[in-house]
Amino acid sequence: MEHADLIVIGAGQAGLAAAALAPRHGFTPLILEADAEPGGAWPRYYDSLTLFSPARYSALPGQPFPGDPGRYPGRDEVVTYLRDYAARLDADIRTQTRVASVRSEGGALSVTAQEGASWSARAVVSATGNYEAPDLPCLSGQETFTGRLVHAADYRSPQAFAGQRVIVVGGGNSAVQIAAELGTVADTTLATRRPLAWMAQHVLGRDLHWWLKHTRLDIAPLARWLEKVPVSVLDDGTYRAALRSGGVNRREMFVRLDADSVIWSEGEREKIDAVVLATGYRTGLDYLADSNALDSEGLPLHRNGVSTTVPGLGYVGMEFQRSFSSKTLRGVGRDAAYVLNGLRRQPRR
C-alpha cells in the first residue's frame, strides 16, 4: 500500500484548486481522477453551455482565465482552461482511477480504487462536487412512456430533437438555456412547479458577480440565507428574448406521463416525443458510505467543508458549502484554502 500525504479525489475545478493550494498548507497532493483526463464534469455538459460569470470571476488560484475578462466563456473554453491548469500543477495526477472507498484505519485514512490500488493518507479532500450524479425524479407514469426521456447530463445539442414535440422540466439556468435553443428547432414547452424567477445579470452597469464580490453578499453566514431563496435564472435579457422568439411557453408541471402522451394539470392530454429533465444533480459520495462521514440521507457531516465525524477528511466544491459561490470556479479556491488550513491544524495521526 502506497502512502500519500494528501489525496484529492477528483480532478475537476474543485480538486485542481485544492491541489494547487495544498503546498501552501504543508501538503503534497496526489490527485485520483476517474476519467481519462482532468476536467471533471465539464467535458460532459451540453455543447452550448456558457458560464454565467465573466472570465475575470471564473479563474482558479494563480491562473487568470485567458482572453477578454468581461466575456462569458463557453464549455470548451472551460475544459481547455482546466486541462491547461492541471498540466501546470506540481502534483501527481492519476487518471482512470476511480475511488471505491475511503475508511479510517489505524490512525490514517485508507483509500481504495475500483481497480484495486490502495493508499494510506494523512488527509483526504473529496472534490467530486455536485455534478457527478444526475438527480432523476420519479415521474408518475414514466414506466409507460414510449417517448425519449433524458436528463440534461445526456443532452448535447438540439439537432437530435429537430421537428419534435419536447418538454423541458426545470426552472433553473440550465433548463432555460436548453429550452431556448430547443425552441429554435422543436416545438418546446418549459414545465416548472412555479413561475420562472429572473435575476438581472447586470445591475447599474456592473455584472452581478462584481456586486457579490465587493459587497461580500455571498460569504457565510449570508450564504445560509441565500440557500433558501427560490432558484432564479440569471439573464441579461438574452434568454427571455430567446424563449419568446423560439415560441417556448411555460406551463405548470404536468401531472403524469402516459404511453406517448403527457397529462397536464388541467386534464389535457397531449402527444409528445421527448422529455428533457433539467432537474439538477445530487451529491455522489458513494465511496464514503462506510466511513461514518455521511448522514442517513447520504449527505456529508461537516462544518464549512471539514468533516465533523472523520478526522483528516474535507470537502471542496459542494453547493453552499461555505458561500453562495462554493460550487463555482470563483468560489472553490477560497473554500479549498479554508479546508486545507483546517486539516493542517488537526493533530497528525
Side-chain angles (χ1 to χ4, degrees), residues 167-237:
I167 296 174
V168 178
V169 176
N173 290 317
S174 294
V176 168
Q177 279 194 356
I178 290 171
E181 68 173 14
L182 279 172
T184 65
V185 299
D187 182 4
T188 306
T189 293
L190 187 61
T192 69
R193 298 196 182 281
R194 60 177 64 88
L196 290 177
W198 299 94
M199 182 181 295
Q201 179 83 57
H202 295 97
V203 179
L204 299 178
R206 298 279 192 176
D207 183 272
L208 177 66
H209 292 83
W210 184 93
W211 291 102
L212 289 174
K213 176 182 178 181
H214 291 278
T215 63
R216 300 177 65 82
L217 278 174
D218 67 342
I219 304 299
L222 283 175
R224 302 290 180 261
W225 174 78
L226 289 169
E227 185 177 8
K228 297 176 174 59
V229 175
V231 173
S232 296
V233 179
L234 195 58
D235 186 30
D236 62 359

Side-chain angles (χ1 to χ4, degrees), residues 272-288:
I272 61 171
D273 298 296
V275 175
V276 178
L277 299 170
T279 47
Y281 297 77
R282 59 179 177 81
T283 303
L285 297 173
D286 293 346
Y287 52 85
L288 294 175

Side-chain angles (χ1 to χ4, degrees), residues 245-310:
S245 63
V248 177
N249 66 317
R250 204 283 308 183
R251 293 190 68 167
E252 189 74 17
M253 182 62 185
F254 54 80
V255 175
R256 70 180 187 277
L257 297 168
D258 184 26
D260 62 354
S261 301
V262 64
I263 311 300
W264 295 103
S265 58
E266 304 88 347
E268 175 191 356
R269 181 186 187 93
E270 182 183 9
K271 184 175 180 180
I272 61 171
D273 298 296
V275 175
V276 178
L277 299 170
T279 47
Y281 297 77
R282 59 179 177 81
T283 303
L285 297 173
D286 293 346
Y287 52 85
L288 294 175
D290 298 324
S291 67
N292 195 38
L294 310 177
D295 66 15
S296 60
E297 296 182 353
L299 298 176
L301 297 163
H302 72 99
R303 182 174 293 110
N304 295 325
V306 178
S307 175
T308 54
T309 56
V310 180

Side-chain angles (χ1 to χ4, degrees), residues 278-348:
T279 47
Y281 297 77
R282 59 179 177 81
T283 303
L285 297 173
D286 293 346
Y287 52 85
L288 294 175
D290 298 324
S291 67
N292 195 38
L294 310 177
D295 66 15
S296 60
E297 296 182 353
L299 298 176
L301 297 163
H302 72 99
R303 182 174 293 110
N304 295 325
V306 178
S307 175
T308 54
T309 56
V310 180
L313 177 63
Y315 305 89
V316 179
M318 296 187 300
E319 187 170 24
F320 293 107
Q321 176 175 316
R322 291 183 62 238
S323 75
F324 185 68
S325 58
S326 280
K327 68 173 184 177
T328 70
L329 282 159
R330 183 169 71 89
V332 290
R334 183 175 59 221
D335 284 2
Y338 179 91
V339 169
L340 289 166
N341 186 55
L343 296 178
R344 177 181 62 84
R345 291 175 178 274
Q346 292 182 353
R348 284 181 176 269

Side-chain angles (χ1 to χ4, degrees), residues 51 53-60 62-85 88 329:
L51 286 179
S53 57
R56 66 167 52 90
Y57 299 119
S58 304
L60 297 182
Q63 186 172 323
F65 207 102
D68 178 3
R71 68 193 175 88
Y72 298 86
R75 180 203 65 184
D76 290 348
E77 294 175 276
V78 176
V79 171
T80 298
Y81 171 80
L82 292 176
R83 289 180 177 166
D84 180 60
Y85 192 90
R88 299 185 186 199
L329 282 159

